[in-house]
Every structure is written in C-alpha cells, then in structure tokens.
C-alpha cells in the first residue's frame, strides 16, 4: 500500500509540474514564448493550402501518367521493377523529393499463366476435332496491345487442369443462379459460362463446384459494361466502350494479403502454410474470355429461355443449355474444353515508401496510398492514382525542401505492390508494422483509380471523415462547370441528412474493394477512398469499360476518359487538401456526430428489417437502441467541448487528448473474434456482408441465416451478433466521454 501511495504522489507531482510549466509557457509573453510552444499551438494555414492547390499542374499529371504507362507493369515483372525505380527517383529528388524514401521487399505467392503453353478454351466434337477456339490474345488496335509483355488473359489462382463438359449458362454465378439451373438440369460434369458482376470472381467457381460443375468461363457482358453496344465501330478506339475481344483479367481469391502467410508479413524467412490450406480460391479451372467468343458459345446453346434478368445484349435469345448446344448448331453434341496451365510461385514484390516528417507530432502518421502494379499498362487502374500521388508529393516535397512548410504530423506515402493479386502490398505493410500503425495512424487516404470518368467526385469513407471531405471539396472548382466540387457532387450523388439537409452522399467502406481494406477492416484506421466518377444517368457501366484489359492505356485515358487531365487535377486538389488538413490541423478535422448519424441510420434499418423477427425468437433490440443513443450523447458532449475550447491558448495536452479520442474512434469498433470465418475483418460496423439490408453486417447475416434454417443455434448466433455490435457501440461511446 505504501508503495502505491508513493507512486501516486510521484505521479501527481509529475503531472502538477508539467501543468505549471505548460501554464507558464501558455502565458502571453510575446517574443519570449519558446518556439516549441508556438509550434504546439499552430493550426493549419489556409494560405499554405491555397498555394498548394494552385501548384498542382495538369501537365505534370499527364506526363506522370505517360511515363507510368510506357510498358505493361504486372506485379514482379521487369516493368513493375522499372516503376519501383521511377517512384524512388521521384521521391529521392533533391529539389522536390520527400525527406526519405525506400523500398520494402516481400516474397509473395502469385499465380501466372504459362508463357510457352497458353491457356486454351475450345469446343471439341466426339471425334476430337476442334470446332472452335477462343482468342488467346485481345485484338490489337494500337501498338500497346502488341507489346510482348501483355499478359494473356487469365484467372489468377485458378488451378491448372484439363476439363471438358457440356456447356450451361449460369448468369452471374451466384448460388441462387446455380440453384435455379439445378432445378431442371443435371450439372454434374458441366462447364458453366458466367458473366462478371453480382458475385466475386472466385465465388463464381467456388459456387459452381458445389453442384458438380468442373470448369467455369467468365465474360464481360456488353449489357453491363457497354450499354449494350457490341460492334467494333462503336467501341474502342472509337469510344470508351470495350471492344468485342476485350477480356477482364483479375485475381480469383477472396482473402486479401499473401495467401501463404495470413496475419504475417511475407518476408523471406516467414513461416508459410501448405498451399493445400488456402481457402477462397477456385477449386476448379476458370478462365475469362471476351464477349465475341462468349456470343459464339451462348448463342448456340440449347434448352429453355433464361429468366428475363439473365438476358444480355448478345445477338440472340439466351438459353440455359441442354446442357450443351442445340441440335441445329454446328457445335451440336460437342464439349467445351478448358486447358489451363497456370502456375503458382514465390516472387519478390516491393512497396515503395516515402515520408515527410512532422515538426510537432512526428509520431502521428497520416498515410496516403495507391497501388502501383497493373494487369497490363493500367492507365486508369492504378496509374491515374499514382500520377496524382506523384504530383501531390512533388508540390509538397518542393515546399518542404524550400523551407516554406512542414506538416505538424508525419505524412507517409505508400506505393503498394501486387495489389491486383489481392491487396497484397498494403496488407503486408499493415501486418509488418501492426503495433506501430494501429496506435499512431491518424487516417489512411486511398486514391486508387483517381478518375473513372469526368463527371463528379465520388468518395467512400468512415463517417468521421465526412466533414473534412466536405471542407476540402468546397475549396476546389469542378472542371467544366462554374461550381465547386462539393456542389457538383451533390448534383450526382446526394442524400438527405437529418442534421444538414441535402448533402453529398459519402459511401461506406464495406467490403475489400481496394487498399483501404487492410487499414479500415484490420487496423481500424479511419479511412477514405476518393475518385472522380461518371454520370450514372448516362451509362449503366458497372465500371469503366477497359478495366483490367489491354486497352487501358495512356491513349484510352487521354482520349476518352479525361482529355485535359482536369478531373485528375480536381482529385489531386481534393485529396491533397484533405491530406494537408489531416496532417496540419491543431485539432483533427473529424466529426464524431456524423458517426452517430450513420449508426442511427443503420439502427433504423435493423429495427425495420429484424426487430419483429428477433422478438418472435425471444431477443430484444432495446440494448442496441440504448447503445446508439449513448453514442449520440457522448458525441454531442465531445462536440460541445471542442466548440467551447480555444485549444491554441490551452495546454497542448488537451488537444492531444481530444485528438487521440478522434483518432482512435474507429479502433473502438474492432473485435478480433467477431467474424472468425472472415479473414482480417474485425470492424463490426463496416465488415463485408452478404445481406442486402444496409445495416450492421454480423447481425444482418446472422438473422437471415436463422430465417433460412429456423434452427435455434442460428437464432442464438443472431443474439450473439446483436450483443457484439451493442457492446462495441457502447464501448466506442465511452471512448468519447471524459476520462474515468
């Protein structure tokens, strides 16, 4: 007891001494005030932001993109290594570079096609005569498609194999699609052809295997990507639409990060599990093809007409398959063959890292990232984002080198490697530096595909970051209009907020769509994803049409996506503005009341969809309602404290304490045991969900599972997930309250 008393007295004396010193220096003494005290109370300088925005140059962004897309740069290839060198050269430039830049090397498990023995899709008759063979390469319209380093279209992580069977059309490859087929057809031993969209790439094959299907083809449906256009005269190079031979490559895996080293950074000496333990990849061969080849196969199918929602824009009435082809077809009584020769191997992959060190709080990090690797030339995905990041670092680096500015907090820039194979670079970084990043990172800004098209800004973010996105977008002019980016954004994507009225709609970061996943879902770092997007009223394209194809080139981007590079500039100005505010503001520009509004929105959806069903099984939602109300109350209280404080004149420890509350808010929603079946998803609010109800993911999926089965143990799971999210919200609310 004596020891505890003495320790308490010493601690109290220490706090008292620090308080006297800080109080002493807080007194206005004019020029006698120490420099460190002035720095500690310094807030963001709006004139610095204005100068920064003015310096961001469209011509510089254009030349960045031209350089980045000179050659294909798939992860670990010579083209990728050349891009690593280019990034390092720029970030180590003595006049415009960063304080320091380096490479972080990993050894990762990747999947490649066989260059000397390419994958083949063919139709073969009973006499083993080849009646049809799909293209192995996309048609060349420009010199870029003829580059020998253009990788053959393939499904990364599809197993090698030689399979054959009668063809069936399975729409999007969802479980419900296969279940419908299975009602009237014996799918055992069949090959399924599916279209992109509606279901993850790998799940199309995983679902198929459950019904005895032995191989899967995947094509890009022109109804979904080209607004129904199929003619060469209407597609690239004449427009932004996908040519008939275009094939979307992609990684066919579910989990993000290196597949052999889950939760561990994939260094040379890291333990690697046996590849037989990998889950979430296709158990059967899969191969993507273009819609011109898909048309040849689909339009020859026998069987019943497909449901209305399955029909596409190819020049025929879609059939389910007999299985197989119709009797009048030249392909009648023939099998589709898939000969897949993919191989997996360990390859060296690098992240390129750079830092501008903070002057006051160098131990607090704002991270800005974008992946570097592409499937082919990757002008839009990802090089539009890299081109923007390089221009932001050029301007900020120049300001630092000239002594005109240094941020309060440190800024880390990341050029992630091997993202196209499953967010590997960003995941390895977060795994390697987990302890350091999880408690010191203020936010993560992701600008992957900076420009899908040139209509409007689009952003997804943690609700806490909504306010800084709005502040930044109000200061940037929208290209081609007299409006701000903010006002233009409202025109295309808006919602009605009970607190603010009509505002831009900031999406939620559910799922693992880009490199924010490792930061948001695994670390609980407040994150955002920013891009310029297209006018949804003018196209139903699910993504820009040249996505992951050999046509995503500098010519495509500069001719059809953003000819003047003004949309790239608008993204640079908006994302860069957000970055400077996060790095330089005395008080972090986060708003926890906006988080409360999002939780209330989710609660309303949950009550409407599930309260009656839970009550019928003896489970009350009252505790969840109280937790959300508590969060609202503590958020309002913290907002009031911030509003009533003049932090520039108070002890720096007060600003640091409030900033820690704001910075760690998303961390409070992490539960490492909430989703044992979902790799690296720990955020109980924004984890992926299979339910269509936009609400708390664990609760929504559990209730719907219980509804399907009616089993008591499944309703118990629903009760469990209700408790998990309730206690997470209540716990997060307490982090916003005063100290105990």
């Amino acid at each position: 007891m004596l020891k505890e008393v003495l320790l308490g007295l010493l601690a109290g004396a220490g706090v008292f001494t620090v308080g006297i010193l800080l109080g002493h220096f807080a007194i206005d003494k004019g020029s006698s005030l120490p420099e460190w005290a002035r720095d500690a109370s310094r807030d963001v300088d709006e004139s610095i932001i204005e100068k920064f925005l003015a310096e961001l140059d469209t011509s510089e962004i254009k030349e960045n993109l031209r350089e980045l897309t000179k050659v294909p740069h798939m992860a670990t290839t010579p083209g990728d290594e050349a891009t690593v060198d280019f990034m390092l050269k720029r970030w180590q430039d003595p006049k415009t570079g960063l304080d320091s830049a380096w490479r972080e090397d990993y050894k990762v498990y990747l999947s490649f096609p066989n260059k000397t023995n390419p994958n083949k899709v063919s139709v073969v008759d009973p006499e083993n005569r080849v009646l049809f063979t799909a293209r192995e390469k996309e048609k060349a319209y420009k010199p870029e498609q003829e580059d020998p380093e253009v990788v053959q279209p393939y499904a990364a992580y599809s197993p090698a194999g030689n399979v054959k069977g009668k063809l069936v059309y399975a729409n999007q490859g969802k479980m419900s699609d296969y279940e419908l087929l299975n009602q009237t057809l014996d799918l055992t031993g069949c090959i399924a052809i599916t279209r992109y969209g509606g279901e993850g790439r790998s799940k199309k094959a995983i679902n198929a295997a459950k019904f005895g299907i032995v191989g899967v083809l995947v094509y890009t449906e022109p109804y979904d990507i080209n607004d129904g256009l199929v003619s060469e005269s209407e597609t690239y190079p004449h427009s932004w639409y996908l040519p008939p031979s275009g094939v979307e490559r992609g990684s066919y895996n579910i989990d993000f990060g290196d597949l052999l080293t889950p939760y561990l950074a994939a260094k040379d000496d890291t333990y690697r599990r046996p590849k037989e333990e990998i889950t979430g990849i296709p158990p059967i061969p899969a191969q993507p093809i273009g819609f011109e080849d898909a048309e040849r196969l689909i339009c020859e199918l026998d069987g019943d007409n497909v449901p209305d929602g399955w029909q596409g824009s190819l020049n025929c009435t879609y059939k389910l398959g007999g299985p197989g082809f119709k009797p009048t077809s030249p392909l009648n009584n023939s099998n589709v063959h898939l000969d897949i020769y993919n191989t997996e191997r360990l390859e060296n992959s690098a992240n390129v890292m750079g830092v501008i060190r903070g002057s006051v709080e160098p131990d607090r990090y704002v991270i800005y990232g974008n992946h570097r690797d592409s499937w082919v030339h990757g002008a839009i995905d990802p090089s539009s984002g890299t081109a923007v990041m390089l221009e932001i670092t050029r301007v900020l680096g120049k300001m630092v080198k000239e002594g005109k500015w240094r941020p309060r907090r440190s800024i880390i820039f990341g050029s992630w490697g091997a993202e196209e194979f499953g967010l590997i670079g960003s995941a390895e970084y977060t795994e390697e530096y987990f302890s350091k990043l999880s408690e010191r990172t203020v936010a993560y800004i992701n600008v992957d595909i900076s420009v899908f098209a040139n209509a409007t800004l689009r952003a997804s973010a943690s609700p806490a970051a909504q306010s800084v996105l709005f502040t930044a977008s109000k200061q940037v002019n929208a290209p081609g209009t007299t409006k701000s980016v903010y006002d233009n954004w409202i025109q295309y994507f808006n919602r009605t907020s009970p607190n603010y009225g009509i505002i831009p709609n900031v999406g939620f970061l559910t799922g693992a769509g880009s490199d924010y996943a490792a930061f948001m879902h695994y670390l609980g770092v407040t994150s955002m994803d920013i891009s310029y997007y297209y006018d949804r009223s003018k196209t139903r394209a699910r993504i820009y049409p040249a996505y992951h194809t050999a046509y995503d080139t500098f010519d495509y981007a500069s001719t059809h996506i953003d000819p003047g590079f003004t949309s790239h500039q608008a993204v640079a100005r908006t994302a860069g503005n957000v970055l400077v505010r996060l790095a330089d503001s005395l008080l972090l520009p986060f708003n926890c009341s906006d988080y409360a509004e999002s939780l209330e929105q989710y609660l309303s959806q949950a009550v409407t969809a599930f309260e009656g069903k839970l009550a019928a099984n003896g489970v009350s939602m009252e505790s969840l309602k109280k937790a959300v109300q508590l969060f609202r109350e503590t958020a309002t209280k913290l907002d009031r404290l911030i509003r009533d404080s003049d932090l520039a004149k108070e002890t720096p420890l007060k600003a640091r304490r409030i900033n820690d509350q704001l910075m760690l808010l998303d961390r409070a929603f992490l539960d490492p045991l909430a989703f044992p079946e979902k790799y690296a998803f720990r955020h109980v609010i924004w984890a992926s969900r299979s339910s269509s109800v936009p609400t708390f993911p664990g609760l929504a999926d559990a209730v719907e599972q219980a509804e399907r089965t009616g089993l008591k143990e499944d309703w118990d799971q629903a009760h469990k997930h209700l408790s998990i999210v309730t206690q997470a919200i209540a716990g997060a609310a307490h982090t916003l309250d005063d100290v105990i």
Side-chain angles (χ1 to χ4, degrees):
M1 177 65 71
L2 179 60
K3 181 179 179 182
E4 291 176 0
V5 170
L6 289 172
L7 288 172
L9 289 171
L10 287 170
V15 170
F16 180 70
T17 302
V18 170
I20 290 176
L21 289 170
L22 291 170
H24 171 73
F25 286 122
I27 297 172
D28 186 5
K29 295 181 182 291
S31 61
S32 65
L33 192 66
E35 185 177 352
W36 68 262
R38 289 196 297 272
D39 286 345
S41 62
R42 174 175 58 84
D43 205 351
V44 65
D45 186 337
E46 294 293 337
S47 68
I48 290 291
I49 289 180
E50 290 176 9
K51 292 174 184 175
F52 165 68
L53 298 181
E55 286 289 318
L56 295 167
D57 191 336
T58 56
S59 63
E60 293 280 351
I61 297 172
K62 180 178 181 179
E63 291 312 307
N64 289 342
L65 189 65
R66 191 192 306 275
E67 183 67 30
L68 289 163
T69 57
K70 279 184 175 178
V71 297
H73 49 286
M74 190 169 68
T76 76
T77 64
D80 182 38
E81 188 62 25
T83 311
V84 169
D85 293 339
F86 175 63
M87 299 295 296
L88 283 171
K89 180 180 178 181
R90 288 290 299 272
W91 287 354
Q92 292 172 346
D93 186 279
K95 293 184 178 179
T96 61
L98 309 177
D99 286 335
S100 61
W102 65 96
R103 59 184 293 159
E104 298 271 6
D105 288 293
Y106 302 95
K107 183 163 283 187
V108 297
Y109 180 74
L110 304 183
S111 167
F112 299 95
N114 189 318
K115 278 189 175 183
T116 60
N117 196 11
N119 298 340
K120 290 182 173 61
V121 176
S122 56
V123 177
V124 181
D125 71 10
E127 284 73 44
N128 218 30
R129 291 176 298 190
V130 176
L131 305 181
F132 166 79
T133 302
R135 277 182 175 271
E136 293 176 9
K137 293 185 176 182
E138 291 144 302
K139 184 175 178 178
Y141 297 99
K142 300 282 184 176
E144 291 93 336
Q145 287 90 52
E146 296 175 331
D147 191 305
E149 291 302 310
V150 171
V151 68
Q152 179 205 6
Y154 76 113
Y157 299 111
S158 163
N162 306 98
V163 295
K164 62 180 180 180
K166 302 297 183 187
L167 189 67
V168 294
Y169 173 67
N171 192 32
Q172 296 177 324
K174 304 187 297 290
M175 279 296 292
S176 59
D177 296 333
Y178 291 116
E179 287 167 352
L180 187 148
L181 283 173
N182 199 48
Q183 291 175 7
T184 56
L185 298 174
D186 180 4
L187 300 179
T188 304
C190 287
I191 304 290
I193 184 167
T194 65
R195 64 208 271 182
Y196 276 118
E199 183 64 279
R201 298 184 190 102
S202 63
K203 286 297 291 285
K204 296 176 190 295
I206 292 170
N207 295 342
K210 295 175 182 178
F211 294 86
I213 290 169
V214 296
V216 171
L217 296 173
V218 188
Y219 78 101
T220 303
E221 168 58 51
Y223 180 87
D224 303 327
I225 203 76
N226 275 7
D227 295 314
L229 301 180
V230 297
S231 159
E232 279 192 283
S233 64
E234 299 171 307
T235 58
Y236 181 78
H238 308 290
S239 74
W240 82 321
Y241 290 116
L242 181 68
S245 66
V247 183
E248 179 184 323
R249 299 148 181 81
S251 185
Y252 283 54
N253 61 319
I254 294 175
D255 297 336
F256 57 87
D258 180 67
L259 296 179
L260 292 182
T261 60
Y263 299 112
L264 295 169
K267 308 300 281 188
D268 280 351
D269 58 354
T270 303
Y271 165 76
R272 287 171 169 80
R273 63 179 174 177
K275 66 179 183 179
E276 292 76 20
E277 293 181 9
I278 296 173
T279 59
I281 60 176
I284 56 177
Q287 175 68 20
I289 61 174
F291 68 76
E292 70 173 0
D293 288 328
E295 181 174 50
R296 181 70 190 277
L297 299 173
I298 290 172
C299 291
E300 298 295 333
L301 282 174
D302 196 13
D304 295 334
N305 291 350
V306 300
D308 290 342
W310 292 24
Q311 177 68 39
S313 295
L314 302 179
N315 190 29
C316 63
T317 298
Y318 291 19
K319 306 281 188 178
L320 297 176
F325 302 109
K326 54 193 175 187
T328 56
S329 169
L331 306 181
N332 178 42
N333 202 30
S334 299
N335 287 322
V336 173
H337 284 222
L338 271 64
D339 297 298
I340 308 301
Y341 302 102
N342 294 348
T343 58
E344 298 80 39
R345 59 182 183 266
L346 293 176
E347 291 283 354
N348 294 316
S349 179
N351 291 336
V352 182
M353 310 301 302
V355 64
I356 298 175
R357 293 183 180 86
S359 60
V360 179
E361 300 179 85
D363 62 330
R364 292 292 184 261
Y365 317 128
V366 180
I367 304 179
Y368 184 115
N370 155 254
H371 79 90
R372 181 189 66 254
D373 64 305
S374 64
W375 285 111
V376 194
H377 293 84
I380 300 301
D381 181 13
S383 299
S384 64
T386 310
V388 162
M389 180 167 65
L390 283 171
E391 176 60 358
I392 289 172
T393 59
R394 181 190 71 83
V395 177
L396 293 182
K398 183 170 180 282
M399 291 165 64
V400 169
K401 296 291 187 185
E402 293 176 350
K404 295 178 179 177
W405 175 78
R406 181 168 289 279
R408 179 187 190 89
R409 304 175 186 90
S410 295
I411 302 174
I412 297 174
F413 293 95
S415 174
W416 315 120
E419 189 271 358
E420 294 292 11
F421 287 86
L423 313 182
I424 287 174
S426 55
E428 300 317 297
Y429 181 68
T430 56
E431 288 165 350
E432 183 170 14
Y433 298 103
F434 173 83
S435 298
K436 189 175 184 180
L437 293 175
S438 60
E439 296 305 320
R440 298 185 185 179
T441 304
V442 170
Y444 175 68
I445 302 170
N446 192 67
V447 181
D448 178 359
I449 302 173
S450 71
V451 178
F452 289 85
N454 57 4
T456 179
L457 191 79
R458 185 184 70 162
S460 299
S462 165
Q466 174 181 277
S467 59
V468 69
L469 283 166
F470 288 174
T471 298
S473 63
K474 288 175 181 177
Q475 290 185 290
V476 179
N477 293 327
T481 76
T482 58
K483 302 177 182 177
S484 68
V485 164
Y486 177 89
D487 289 331
N488 190 61
W489 188 3
I490 287 180
Q491 178 181 338
Y492 291 95
F493 298 103
N494 63 68
R495 69 180 181 91
T496 301
S497 161
N499 295 326
Y500 306 114
I502 298 176
I503 58 174
N505 185 32
V506 178
F508 297 142
L509 289 175
T510 55
S514 190
D515 286 296
Y516 59 77
F519 291 93
M520 188 74 187
H521 300 304
Y522 183 51
L523 293 183
V525 169
T526 298
S527 301
M528 61 204 81
D529 186 59
I530 303 171
S531 63
Y532 231 71
Y533 211 61
Y534 42 85
D535 184 348
R536 277 294 193 186
S537 69
K538 295 182 179 177
T539 178
R540 58 174 173 265
R542 59 180 177 83
I543 197 168
Y544 72 96
Y547 175 70
H548 286 192
T549 74
Y551 306 111
D552 186 1
T553 62
F554 180 82
D555 175 72
Y556 180 83
S558 60
T559 303
H560 299 293
I561 299 297
D562 189 20
F565 285 80
T566 53
S567 295
H568 285 77
Q569 183 187 53
V571 171
R573 285 174 168 169
T574 305
N577 192 337
V578 170
L579 175 64
V580 172
R581 290 181 181 282
L582 289 171
D584 226 16
S585 296
L586 174 61
L587 189 72
L588 291 175
F590 291 150
N591 189 314
C592 48
S593 287
D594 291 342
Y595 220 124
E597 181 178 308
S598 295
L599 294 177
E600 289 161 352
Q601 178 183 334
Y602 261 27
L603 175 65
S604 175
Q605 293 281 353
V607 167
T608 300
F610 304 132
E611 185 171 39
K613 297 166 185 176
L614 287 166
N617 287 273
V619 181
S620 170
M621 293 185 70
E622 289 306 310
S623 60
L624 177 59
K625 295 176 184 177
K626 291 177 181 177
V628 173
Q629 178 60 32
L630 176 63
F631 190 97
R632 166 60 77 180
E633 291 169 359
T634 55
T636 301
K637 184 177 178 182
L638 182 58
D639 281 349
R640 188 181 306 116
L641 173 65
I642 292 170
R643 187 175 61 249
D644 295 343
S645 299
D646 187 355
L647 294 173
K649 296 181 180 179
E650 300 187 51
T651 165
L653 293 181
K654 183 175 181 180
R656 179 85 165 191
R657 174 173 63 82
I658 294 173
N659 280 340
D660 281 353
Q661 289 177 288
L662 296 170
M663 178 180 75
L664 298 174
L665 177 56
D666 269 300
R667 260 42 130 246
F669 292 106
L670 296 184
D671 185 337
L673 303 179
F675 309 107
E677 75 288 356
K678 294 180 180 179
Y679 175 77
F681 282 95
R682 310 192 305 162
H683 199 301
V684 302
I685 309 299
W686 311 123
S688 63
R689 68 174 188 274
S690 58
S691 170
S692 61
V693 180
T695 187
F696 309 111
L699 176 64
D701 287 351
V703 171
E704 292 189 357
Q705 171 68 12
E707 281 189 283
R708 283 192 294 269
T709 66
L711 297 175
K712 182 182 183 301
E713 53 262 39
D714 286 337
W715 284 109
D716 288 344
Q717 280 296 307
H719 191 180
K720 178 182 176 181
H721 274 284
L722 177 65
S723 298
I724 287 171
V725 71
T726 296
Q727 294 187 22
I729 293 171
H734 289 305
T735 70
L736 301 179
D737 210 347
D738 292 336
V739 294
I740 295 173

